[in-house]
Amino acid sequence: MNAYEANFDGLVGPTHNYAGLSYGNVASSNNRSLTSNPKLAALQGLEKMKTMRNLGLVQGVLPPHERPAVNELRALGFSGSDADILTKAAKQAPKLLASCCSAATMWTANAATVSPSLDTADGKVHLTPANLSNKFHRAMEHKTTRQVLQAVFNSERYFTHHEALPGIPQFGDEGAANYTRFCTDYHRPGVAFFVYGDNGFSSNERRPRPQRYPARQTREASEAIARQHQLACDRIVFAQQHPNVIDQGVFHNDVIAVGNKNLLFCHEHAFLHQRQVYEQLREAHTDSALSIVEVSDDQVSVSDAVSSYLFNSQLVTVNGKNTLIVPSECDANEKVARYLRWLTESHHTIDAVRSFDLRQSMKNGGGPACLRLRVVLTDAELAAVNPGSIMSDSLYQRLVQWVNDHYRDRLTEKDLADPQLLMESRNALDELTAIMQLGSVYDFQR
C-alpha cells in the first residue's frame, strides 16, 4: 500500500489586509495598517504550490472564506442592506468590521487536525476543524471550514468529519499548527505529537504558563481530539510549549518546531521539560530511531527564529532527501542564513533548503508552514478526494487567471467598508466554486 503526505495550501482571499488582529503574533501587530496587495499575496501562494507539485509532492488547494462576513455583522445587531451594514459597522465598530474582513483562513495549518487512517481504530481519515476560540476573527471560521473539508474530502467510506470542539477557553484548539505526526514512512502507523500552551481547567496559578501573551491551545483540546480520532494511547505524546517562548511571540508550536517522518527540527527552548519530551517521543516511536536536530540559542535566538520564521517551514521528503522550505526572510537574516549554510554543509540530516518569497503572508505572521494543512492519504483515499482541489498545471493556470481577474493590488483598512469589495469577493468565489467543483459551500453565509 502506498501513502503520501499531501499539503493542502490555503488560497489567499480577496480581502487580504493588515489590521493587526492577532495579539501575540509579533508580525501581525508590527505591520498593522500597512497597505496590502491581495493579488500579489495570492500569486505568491500559488507559486509555492506549483513549485511543491513540481518537486513531485501531492499538492492540494483549499479555498478562502467569504469576506466581509456580513452574516456575522448581521448576527451582532447590524441591519439593513449589505451595504448599509458595512457602512454602519465602519462608523460604529471599525475593529469589528476589520475582524469580519480578515483573510486569515489562508493559513490552513489552523484549519483542522487530521489523523490518517493508518493511525485510527476504524481505519478512516478523521478531520476536526479548529474552533480557534482565542480570536474572534478566527472563531467564526470553523463552520465554513467544515463545509469546505466535506466538499474536498467527500467520501463517507474514507473520511469522518467531526464538529469543532466547544468554543470556550478550556477547549481552545488551533488545529495542526500544534500537531506533528512522526512515522518511519507514510504508509506505516505513526506517533501523534500534540503540543499545548496551557491546561484549560488548571486552577494552580503557580503552574508554568505564559504571562504576556495567551496560550491558544489547551491540553484538554488536544486530548479530546485524540479521543475523537480513535488514536492508540501508546502512540500519543502530549507536550507543553515553553511559556517563555510564547511570551516572545511563539503563538503556535509551528513557529518553534517542525517535524517530518522520523525527524524533529526544533529550538532548544521549544518545550517545557524538553529532554523528557524527547524521551517520550523516542519511547512511542518504536519503529525506528527518531532523529532530533536541536538549534541552540547561541546558533539562532528565539527572537531571530520569530523574525525569520525559520521553524515555520515545511520539512518535506524530495527524492528521499529531507528538504526544508523556508521563507525568504531566512536569507535576509544573517545569523539564520549562516546557520542554514552550516546545517546543509555539515550536519547531513537536512539535505537541502529552498526559500520562497511569501512577504505578503509573512507581514501578517504566516510563513510556509502556516499556509498548509498536512493530510496523509493512501492511494484509494487520494483517488476519493475532490479532483478539483488537487494542483495540476491546468488548475494552476486557471487559478492565476482567476486571481488576476478578480483581485485588487492595493487594499487599506478604509477599503473594507466598500460594498464593491464585497461584490468582488462574492463574484470571485462563485467562479471559484465552479473551477474547484466545490458546490454550495458559501450559500449559508449569504
Side-chain angles (χ1 to χ4, degrees):
M1 178 179 62
N2 293 320
Y4 316 88
E5 183 185 74
N7 288 278
F8 283 80
D9 281 36
L11 267 173
V12 178
T15 62
H16 165 67
N17 70 94
Y18 303 126
L21 300 173
S22 190
Y23 181 68
N25 182 326
V26 175
S28 173
S29 299
N30 288 348
N31 293 304
R32 181 175 182 174
S33 298
L34 292 182
T35 299
S36 67
N37 187 332
K39 180 178 292 187
L40 179 59
L43 293 176
Q44 287 175 345
L46 282 168
E47 178 63 25
K48 180 176 85 75
M49 293 185 228
K50 177 177 179 288
T51 303
M52 300 297 283
R53 188 253 181 185
N54 290 345
L55 289 174
L57 303 172
V58 179
Q59 179 65 56
V61 187
L62 295 181
H65 294 191
E66 182 175 298
R67 298 291 183 267
V70 178
N71 60 322
E72 295 289 341
L73 293 170
R74 196 180 295 277
L76 293 169
F78 294 97
S79 60
S81 67
D82 290 345
D84 290 339
I85 288 174
L86 294 176
T87 300
K88 291 175 183 177
K91 291 180 179 178
Q92 299 174 27
K95 291 184 179 178
L96 181 58
L97 175 61
S99 292
C100 290
C101 293
S102 169
T105 61
M106 62 198 275
W107 297 308
T108 55
N110 301 126
T113 303
V114 184
S115 294
S117 59
L118 299 151
D119 299 347
T120 62
D122 64 358
K124 290 186 177 183
V125 178
H126 284 246
L127 305 95
T128 299
N131 61 33
L132 297 165
S133 61
N134 188 260
K135 299 286 184 290
F136 169 70
H137 72 285
R138 303 221 62 183
M140 68 179 76
E141 293 177 12
H142 65 87
K143 293 180 182 178
T144 307
T145 295
R146 190 169 190 270
Q147 297 267 64
V148 167
L149 292 175
Q150 287 180 316
V152 173
F153 304 98
N154 55 6
S155 168
E156 293 184 2
R157 177 179 178 183
Y158 296 108
F159 306 109
T160 297
H161 294 270
H162 300 276
E163 297 283 353
L165 298 179
I168 58 175
Q170 288 86 350
F171 288 104
D173 174 28
E174 300 279 317
N178 295 303
Y179 164 83
T180 304
R181 178 181 187 259
F182 296 103
C183 59
T184 303
D185 212 334
Y186 298 127
H187 67 274
R188 301 286 298 277
V191 172
F193 182 42
F194 291 93
V195 181
Y196 61 94
D198 199 5
N199 288 66
F201 288 99
S202 173
S203 59
N204 182 1
E205 295 301 324
R206 299 178 64 181
R207 185 182 183 88
R209 60 183 57 184
Q211 301 299 311
R212 182 182 182 188
Y213 293 135
R216 303 187 186 186
Q217 181 83 23
T218 67
R219 179 173 180 128
E220 287 83 349
S222 297
E223 290 174 339
I225 290 170
R227 289 192 295 268
Q228 277 188 340
H229 292 194
Q230 304 176 26
L231 302 179
C233 294
D234 61 347
R235 299 188 74 86
I236 304 172
V237 174
F238 298 102
Q240 184 174 355
Q241 189 169 317
H242 204 296
N244 291 348
V245 300
I246 294 177
D247 283 338
Q248 294 179 71
V250 181
F251 52 98
H252 291 141
N253 178 63
D254 67 2
V255 181
I256 203 69
V258 62
N260 179 47
K261 287 192 173 179
N262 62 347
L263 175 61
L264 170 64
F265 177 56
C266 66
H267 194 274
E268 69 169 325
H269 299 315
F271 313 110
L272 195 65
H273 309 306
Q274 192 136 320
R275 300 299 157 197
Q276 182 178 334
V277 172
Y278 291 165
E279 289 305 311
Q280 290 175 326
L281 284 171
R282 288 182 169 125
E283 188 175 314
H285 195 270
T286 56
D287 294 344
S288 64
L290 181 70
S291 297
I292 298 173
V293 178
E294 183 183 272
V295 183
S296 71
D297 205 55
D298 290 337
Q299 291 171 309
V300 177
S301 67
V302 173
S303 176
D304 283 324
V306 171
S307 64
S308 68
Y309 266 33
L310 168 63
F311 297 100
N312 195 247
S313 53
Q314 291 179 242
L315 185 57
V316 296
T317 304
V318 179
N319 297 323
K321 296 184 177 181
N322 290 314
T323 300
L324 197 64
I325 308 298
V326 302
S328 58
E329 280 75 4
C330 288
D331 301 328
N333 185 306
E334 183 178 346
K335 199 167 187 178
V336 173
R338 185 187 312 120
Y339 171 78
L340 287 174
R341 286 194 298 271
W342 171 83
L343 182 67
T344 54
E345 292 171 1
S346 307
H347 201 278
H348 307 302
T349 305
I350 294 176
D351 304 287
V353 175
R354 294 184 64 125
S355 65
F356 284 85
D357 179 2
L358 298 167
R359 288 186 178 90
Q360 285 290 313
S361 176
M362 285 288 291
K363 285 180 180 178
N364 249 342
C370 288
L371 286 162
R372 61 91 172 93
L373 177 67
R374 306 162 81 174
V375 184
V376 173
L377 299 166
T378 64
D379 282 320
E381 291 158 358
L382 180 57
V385 171
N386 184 336
S389 63
I390 300 298
M391 182 57 71
S392 63
D393 290 340
S394 60
L395 179 59
Y396 171 76
Q397 292 166 4
R398 292 188 73 184
L399 291 177
V400 167
Q401 186 61 55
W402 173 78
V403 169
N404 284 322
D405 288 344
H406 293 285
Y407 280 48
R408 299 185 183 189
D409 57 13
R410 176 183 171 85
L411 198 66
T412 67
E413 285 187 68
K414 291 182 179 179
D415 295 325
L416 302 180
D418 180 5
Q420 184 60 35
L421 179 64
L422 174 62
M423 295 308 300
E424 290 171 9
S425 178
R426 285 179 172 173
N427 289 337
L429 294 182
D430 286 344
E431 185 176 322
L432 184 65
T433 56
I435 293 174
M436 295 183 62
Q437 305 170 36
L438 294 172
S440 56
V441 297
Y442 301 111
D443 285 0
F444 80 99
Q445 290 186 266
R446 304 180 184 178

